[in-house]
Amino acid sequence: MKNKKFISKTKSIYIKNSPWSRILQQQTRQAIEDLCIGPDGLMHFKHKELGYATISFANICSNHFLLQVEPDGKQYEFSDIDELLADGWAID
């Protein structure tokens, strides 16, 4: 049984101002819901202007969407998956 706390309330809604396709947005939601963490213990994201970032397994498990941009370490915090997508982030 899947952990429902990771499912977005608006799972089927396409974020129109996102630079990413509907499919990539759905894949991002699914990856977060399924906790698709890499062997390094991180989930990897991309942004067309800001580059690449990660979220730690611990943060995702606590429903804390804190992205750390590579390599400078700048952090962006989001309240939920929809906010993360609306800001232009997607799974890498």
Side-chain angles (χ1 to χ4, degrees):
M1 185 170 153
K2 292 184 179 181
N3 187 339
K4 299 293 184 188
K5 80 175 192 173
F6 297 110
I7 297 175
S8 169
K9 293 177 184 172
T10 57
K11 187 174 181 179
S12 63
I13 293 177
Y14 173 58
I15 307 290
K16 292 181 181 177
N17 65 341
S18 173
W20 306 111
S21 69
R22 181 185 315 253
I23 292 170
L24 185 55
Q25 289 183 45
Q26 290 170 343
Q27 290 172 340
T28 300
R29 292 177 194 280
Q30 193 66 48
I32 293 170
E33 178 182 331
D34 292 345
L35 294 175
C36 294
I37 305 297
D40 58 359
L42 302 169
M43 187 175 288
H44 296 262
F45 292 84
K46 60 186 173 184
H47 190 281
K48 289 202 176 197
E49 295 175 13
L50 299 174
Y52 298 92
T54 57
I55 300 178
S56 71
F57 177 73
N59 279 337
I60 288 182
C61 285
S62 64
N63 219 18
H64 186 214
F65 299 99
L66 181 66
L67 272 79
Q68 184 163 340
V69 177
E70 302 166 357
D72 65 10
K74 187 169 183 178
Q75 296 182 335
Y76 295 90
E77 188 169 6
F78 303 98
S79 61
D80 58 27
I81 299 168
D82 293 329
E83 190 177 321
L84 182 142
L85 286 168
D87 196 52
W89 292 97
I91 197 76
D92 185 31

